[in-house]
């Protein structure tokens, strides 16, 4: 079959094992994974879900499409992931869940998040859409909470040939509910226990993902080696901060992100030198037009705002050659050294 079938079932088994989870439900996108996981966890109208403003909009779309309201918490300036210390101040009687985002290939600091959730009876659903194979204190991303949500968009560390996603979980009932939601709420053909959606993974994508999954660990190792080379070479670059790999995490470097003050100038210069870069993400969600009704203003989440103004994603993929990395870093250093105000030599004497 084109939809579902043995390829999907086998991929679900293999990806569950890869994530150290009991169940995997293949879906049509990472956004569906987040949305259906929230819905299956019983989150809906009148509920609040805590997450970060520094993420792709899919994180909050899933929350509002489940009927709930996103509540923002700022990020840690070093890792760019959710700052757990700020969660308690945002919890209200309506809070039902926390969605930490494992950004750029690195997990958020999960133990304090899980501890707060336990204390307040909240569900935790990991947005692991950029973190296939990342670990937190040795535990795989997506396996530490009620559910982990993944995207297999073609540009991801594990990418399909189109849109695809999955939820992993140890909770059998949650997996069952997501299976029904992805297929119009059917318990069996034409018998609908609830209204659902069309959120299925198709067999072609599952077959592609099965082939690529075998190579994911090796690709992630290569990405880590490339990141280590970047970090070493950038250590003496003036005014460059690298998004930190926390000591609790092993990042899979979906993106390699640095922070610089003259980001736009540097990006234009790199483009002239033939180096492609990206901005992930240049405007935090609380300042997006889509969320104007939430009434936020500049200054409300200062770490996210400062990060958004300074970040730039450098070329990062498994097959990147050492000399390509050297060239990118050389260009960055040339630009930053030229851009620095030259010391007045007379003054120094």
């Amino acid at each position: 079959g084109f939809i579902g079938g043995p390829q999907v079932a086998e991929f679900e088994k293999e990806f569950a094992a890869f994530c150290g989870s009991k169940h995997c439900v293949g879906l049509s996108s990472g956004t569906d994974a987040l949305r259906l996981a929230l819905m299956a966890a019983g989150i809906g109208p009148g509920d609040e879900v805590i997450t970060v403003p520094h993420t792709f909009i899919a994180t909050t779309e899933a929350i509002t499409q489940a009927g709930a309201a996103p509540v923002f918490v700022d990020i840690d300036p070093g890792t760019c992931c959710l700052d757990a210390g700020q969660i308690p101040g945002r919890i209200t009687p309506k809070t039902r869940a926390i969605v930490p985002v494992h950004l750029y290939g690195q997990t958020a600091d999960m133990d304090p998040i899980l501890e707060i959730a336990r204390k307040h009876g909240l569900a935790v659903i990991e947005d692991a859409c950029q973190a296939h194979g990342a670990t937190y204190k040795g535990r795989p991303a997506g396996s530490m909470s009620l559910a982990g949500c993944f995207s297999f968009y073609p540009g991801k560390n594990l990418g399909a040939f189109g849109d695809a996603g999955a939820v992993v979980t140890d909770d059998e009932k949650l997996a069952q509910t997501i299976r029904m939601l992805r297929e119009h709420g059917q318990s069996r053909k034409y018998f609908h226990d609830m209204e659902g959606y069309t959120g299925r993974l198709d067999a072609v994508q599952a077959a592609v993902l099965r082939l690529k999954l075998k190579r994911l660990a090796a690709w992630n190792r290569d990405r880590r080696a490339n990141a280590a080379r970047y970090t070493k070479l950038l250590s003496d670059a003036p005014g460059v901060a690298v998004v930190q790999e926390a000591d609790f995490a092993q990042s899979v470097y979906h993106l390699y992100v640095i922070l610089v003050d003259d980001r736009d100038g540097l990006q234009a210069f790199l483009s002239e030198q033939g180096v492609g870069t990206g901005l992930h993400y240049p405007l935090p969600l609380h300042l997006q037009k889509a969320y104007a009704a939430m009434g936020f203003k500049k200054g409300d989440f200062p770490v996210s705002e400062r990060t958004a103004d300074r970040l730039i994603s450098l070329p990062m993929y498994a097959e990147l050659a050492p000399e390509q990395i050297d060239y990118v870093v050389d260009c960055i250093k040339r630009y930053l050294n030229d851009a620095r105000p030259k010391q007045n030599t007379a003054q120094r004497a």
Side-chain angles (χ1 to χ4, degrees), residues 25 63 101 123 172 202 214 223 238 240 251 291 304 329:
V25 184
I63 294 167
V101 180
E172 195 172 345
D202 74 68
K214 293 181 175 65
R223 281 175 181 264
V240 172
S251 177
Y291 295 116
S304 292
V329 173

Side-chain angles (χ1 to χ4, degrees), residues 279-328:
L279 303 179
H280 304 89
Y281 300 92
L283 185 67
L285 295 180
H286 67 286
L287 300 177
Q288 294 276 0
K289 194 174 166 187
Y291 295 116
M294 290 174 81
F296 289 115
K297 61 191 183 311
K298 245 183 152 54
D300 285 339
F301 298 98
V303 184
S304 292
E305 291 166 32
R306 179 153 168 73
T307 302
D309 289 343
R310 298 174 67 231
L311 56 79
I312 181 167
S313 303
L314 303 181
M316 170 52 79
Y317 45 94
E319 302 79 7
L320 206 53
E323 50 275 19
Q324 290 176 301
I325 296 171
D326 298 354
Y327 177 73
V328 173

Side-chain angles (χ1 to χ4, degrees), residues 70-85:
V71 171
F72 291 129
V73 161
D74 214 345
I75 57 172
D76 174 275
T79 64
C80 295
C81 291
L82 189 151
D83 180 353

Side-chain angles (χ1 to χ4, degrees), residues 41-50 92-98 121-124:
I43 285 148
D47 297 335
E48 290 177 356
V49 178
I50 289 173
T92 74
K94 292 179 173 177
T95 310
R96 290 286 306 282
I98 305 169
L122 310 175
V124 176

Side-chain angles (χ1 to χ4, degrees), residues 92-113:
T92 74
K94 292 179 173 177
T95 310
R96 290 286 306 282
I98 305 169
V99 178
V101 180
H102 300 330
L103 200 70
Y104 302 152
Q106 167 167 247
T107 60
D109 190 359
M110 289 299 292
D111 284 344
I113 294 169

Side-chain angles (χ1 to χ4, degrees), residues 7-36:
Q7 288 291 346
V8 172
E10 286 304 306
F11 170 70
E12 288 176 339
K13 247 199 312 239
E14 290 157 9
F15 193 66
F18 177 82
C19 293
S21 295
K22 289 181 186 159
H23 309 280
C24 169
V25 184
L27 297 160
S28 54
S29 69
T31 314
D32 269 350
L34 286 160
R35 175 173 57 154
L36 300 187

